[in-house]
C-alpha cells in the first residue's frame, strides 16, 4: 500500500529553448495510499506526460515519491515492482500469445538469469481468468480484437502486482460492457489489494463513477481538483473542453452516494 | 503447462537435424571412403562399440582431418551467426537486421584488407597468419565506434539511432577498404576470396581458435532469452517492466558481436545465414526467444554444414565460396518469406 507524492512536478519537451513546450506546469498533489484519482482534461492537457513522468519515461522537474522514496533513486527493477503502467498506445507484438504477454508483467520479480516460476504462472492465470481472457490466453495478440488486446495489456499490468497502478486511457477501445468489467476489476483489486490508482480517462461519467477524486488539467495546469460533483460543472466543461453539456447530479437518499452524469447536448458553442 | 514439453520436442528436432547435417557433411566429398561407410565408422569410433566397417586408416584420415574440421567450423560459424542474428533482431526489434549490422563484417573486411596489403611484406615470414587477428580486432573496434556514435546522439535507450549509426560506420569502413584496394590492385583477388567466405582448408586449429568465443557468446545470449522477450514490447515498456534497457542491450550486443567477430575473422563474411535462419525458425516454432535462440544455434549450424556440401562437390578445381552458396539459397528464400509477409521480429 503506497501513496504517491507529487511536489512541483514539471514536464518539458524539446531541448532547444525555441522549441520548448511545457506539458505539465508545476503539479503538486498527494495521492493517498489506496486512493483512485482520475486525471481528466482535453487532448494535449498533459495527462499522459504526468503519468509518464511518474513511471520514469520522461525527465521531470520537482519531486515524485512513492511512500516518500524518490523515484529517481530507484533502479528500473525496484520501480517496476512498485509501479505498473498501462500506456495509452502499447506496442503489441503480434506474434506473442496473450499468456506470454501477460507473463511479461512478472519480469520485476524474476532473477536476472532466472525464468518464470510456477507462482508467476499461477498469478497470470488468475488475472486472465478475472478479466475473462481465458479463451484467448493461447491465441496470438495479432489475432485478437482491439478491445481484447486492451484487456490483455491490463492483464499484464495487473500481473505486475505493484501497489501503484497508472492507467492511461485503459478502456478507450472497449465496449460499454467491457469498460465496466475492466473498471470493476480495478475497483475490486483496489479494495482487495489496496492499490493506489491514477488513471487518465476520457469518459467523464465513468471517471466520476469509479474514482474517488478528479483532477482536471488544461494546458498542463490544474484547473480543478476534488470530488466529481464539484469538478464536473457544465460551465467548466464548456470552458475547458469547448462542449455543450448538462450535468446531472443524483443523490441516493438512502446511502448519500452521489452519481454524476455528463450528457452532451446538440448545438456546439461557437469557437 | 505443455509448453515445456513442446519446447523439448523442438530442441530434440533441432538436435536431430544437426546430427543429420554432421553425418551428411562427414560422408560427402571427393575422394575418401564410400559415403555409406562413414556413418558406420562414426558409430564404430564411439567408445564401447567395435565392428568392421571396411574403412581404411587412410580413408578415415580424410574424414577426420579434412572433412570433420570443415564440418565443425561450418557448424560453429553457422550457429554463431544465426544466434547472433536472432539476438540482434530481437534487441533492435528489426527483422531486417543481421549480425553484421553494427559493423562486425565491414570492420573485419577492412582489417583483413589492411593486413593483406600494408602488413604483407612484414608478415610474410611470420609463423602465425595475422589476418584473422587483425580482422577480429578491427571488427570489435568498428562495432565499438558505432556504439559510441549511436549512444552519444541517441542516448543509450534509442535502438534506432544505433542502427543508423551502424549504416554510417559500415559505409565509412567500406569506403576506406575500397580506397586501399584501389591502390593495391594486386591483392584484390586475395581480399575478395577472403571476403566471400570459405570453410575449405579448415583445420582443427581453426576450430580451436573460435570455439571459446562461440561458447561464451552463445551462453551469454541464451541467458538473456527472457530479456529479449521483454524487448519485444519496445524499449519504453520494457523499462517500465524493470529492464535496464541500455545496459541489457549493451550486454547482448557485446556478446553477439564477440562471437560474430571471431567466426568472421576465420571464415570470412558468410552472408544471409544470420538473417534467414532466425526467420525460418520463427515461422516454424514461433517467435519466442526461449525456442528461437537454441533452435537458431542448431539450425544455423546444420544449415551451413549442409550449404558447404554442394560447394565441395560441384565445381572443381576452384571451389564455389560458401558465401556465394548461402546467398544463392538465402536471397530467393528471403524474398519468398517477404512475399508471404510473415517476417516479423
Ligand atoms: N514527445 C513529445 N515531444 C514534444 N511534445 C510532446 C511530446 N509528448 C507530448 N507532447 C506535448 O505535450 C502536451 C501534453 O501531451 P500529453 O501529455 O500527451 O497530453 P494528453 O495525454 O493529456 O492528451 C501536448 O501539447 C503535446 O503536444
Ligand atoms: Mg494522453
Amino acid at each position: 500500500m503506497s501513496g504517491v507524492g507529487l511536489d512541483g512536478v514539471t514536464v518539458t519537451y524539446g531541448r532547444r529553448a525555441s522549441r520548448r513546450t511545457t506539458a505539465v506546469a508545476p503539479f503538486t498533489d498527494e495521492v493517498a495510499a489506496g486512493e483512485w484519482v482520475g486525471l481528466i482534461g482535453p487532448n494535449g492537457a498533459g495527462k499522459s506526460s504526468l503519468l509518464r513522468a511518474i513511471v520514469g519515461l520522461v525527465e521531470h522537474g520537482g519531486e515524485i515519491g512513492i511512500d516518500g522514496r524518490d523515484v529517481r533513486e530507484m533502479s528500473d527493477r525496484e520501480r517496476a515492482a512498485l509501479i505498473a503502467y498501462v500506456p495509452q498506445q502499447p506496442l503489441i507484438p503480434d506474434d506473442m500469445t496473450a499468456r506470454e504477454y501477460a507473463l511479461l508483467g512478472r519480469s520485476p520479480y524474476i532473477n536476472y538469469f532466472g525464468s518464470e516460476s510456477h507462482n508467476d504462472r499461477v498469478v497470470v492465470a488468475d488475472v486472465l481468468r478475472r478479466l475473462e481472457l481465458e479463451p484467448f490466453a493461447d491465441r496470438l495478440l495479432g489475432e485478437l480484437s482491439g478491445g481484447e488486446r486492451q484487456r490483455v495489456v491490463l492483464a499484464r499490468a495487473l500481473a505486475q502486482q505493484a501497489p501503484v497502478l497508472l492507467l492511461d486511457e485503459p478502456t478507450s477501445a472497449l465496449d460499454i460492457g467491457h469498460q465496466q468489467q475492466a473498471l470493476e476489476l480495478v475497483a475490486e483489486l483496489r479494495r482487495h489489494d489496496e492499490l493506489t490508482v491514477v488513471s487518465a480517462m476520457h469518459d467523464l461519467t465513468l471517471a466520476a463513477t469509479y474514482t474517488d477524486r478528479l483532477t482536471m488539467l488544461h494546458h498542463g495546469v490544474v484547473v480543478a481538483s476534488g470530488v466529481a460533483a464539484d469538478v464536473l460543472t457544465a460551465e467548466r466543461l464548456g470552458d475547458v473542453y469547448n462542449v455543450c453539456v448538462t450535468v446531472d447530479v443524483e443523490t441516493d437518499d438512502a446511502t448519500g452516494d452521489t452519481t454524476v452524469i455528463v450528457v452532451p447536448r446538440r448545438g456546439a458553442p461557437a469557437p | 503447462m505443455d509448453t515445456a514439453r513442446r519446447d523439448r520436442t523442438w530442441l530434440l528436432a533441432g538436435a536431430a537435424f544437426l546430427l543429420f547435417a554432421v553425418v551428411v557433411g562427414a560422408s560427402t566429398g571427393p575422394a575418401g571412403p564410400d559415403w555409406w561407410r562413414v556413418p558406420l565408422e562414426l558409430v564404430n569410433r564411439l567408445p564401447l562399440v567395435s565392428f568392421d566397417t571396411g574403412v581404411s586408416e587412410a580413408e578415415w584420415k580424410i574424414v577426420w582431418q579434412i572433412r570433420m574440421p570443415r564440418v565443425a567450423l561450418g557448424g560453429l560459424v553457422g550457429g554463431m551467426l544465426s544466434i547472433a542474428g536472432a539476438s540482434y533482431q530481437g534487441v533492435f526489434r528489426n527483422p531486417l537486421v543481421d549480425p553484421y549490422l553494427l559493423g562486425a563484417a565491414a570492420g573485419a573486411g577492412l582489417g583483413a584488407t589492411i593486413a593483406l596489403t600494408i602488413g604483407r611484406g612484414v608478415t610474410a615470414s611470420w609463423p602465425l597468419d595475422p589476418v584473422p587477428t587483425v580482422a577480429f580486432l578491427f571488427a570489435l573496434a568498428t562495432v565499438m565506434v558505432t556504439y559510441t556514435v549511436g549512444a552519444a546522439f541517441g542516448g543509450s535507450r534509442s535502438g534506432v539511432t544505433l542502427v543508423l549509426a551502424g549504416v554510417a560506420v559500415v559505409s565509412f569502413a567500406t569506403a576506406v577498404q575500397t580506397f586501399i584496394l584501389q591502390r593495391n590492385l594486386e591483392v584484390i583477388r586475395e581480399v575478395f576470396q577472403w571476403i566471400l567466405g570459405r570453410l575449405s582448408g579448415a583445420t582443427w586449429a581453426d576450430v580451436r581458435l573460435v570455439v571459446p568465443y562461440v561458447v561464451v557468446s552463445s551462453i551469454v545470449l541464451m541467458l538473456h532469452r527472457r530479456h529479449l522477450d521483454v524487448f519485444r514490447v519496445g524499449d519504453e515498456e520494457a523499462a517500465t517492466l524493470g529492464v535496464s534497457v541500455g545496459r541489457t542491450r549493451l550486454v547482448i550486443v557485446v556478446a553477439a558481436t564477440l562471437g560474430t567477430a571471431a567466426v568472421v575473422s576465420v571464415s570470412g563474411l558468410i552472408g544471409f545465414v544470420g538473417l534467414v535462419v532466425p526467420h525460418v525458425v520463427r515461422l516454424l516454432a514461433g517467435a519466442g526467444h526461449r525456442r528461437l535462440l537454441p533452435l537458431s544455434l542448431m539450425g544455423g549450424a546444420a544449415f551451413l554444414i549442409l550449404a558447404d556440401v554442394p560447394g565441395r562437390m560441384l565445381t572443381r578445381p576452384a571451389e564455389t565460396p560458401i558465401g556465394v552458396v548461402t546467398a544463392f539459397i538465402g536471397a530467393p528464400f528471403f524474398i519468398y518469406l517477404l512475399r508471404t509477409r510473415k517476417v516479423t521480429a
Side-chain angles (χ1 to χ4, degrees), chain A residues 43-49 88 168-169 200 202:
Chain A
N43 295 329
K47 307 180 293 294
S48 296
S49 301
Q88 188 171 353
D168 200 345
E169 299 182 24
H202 270 312

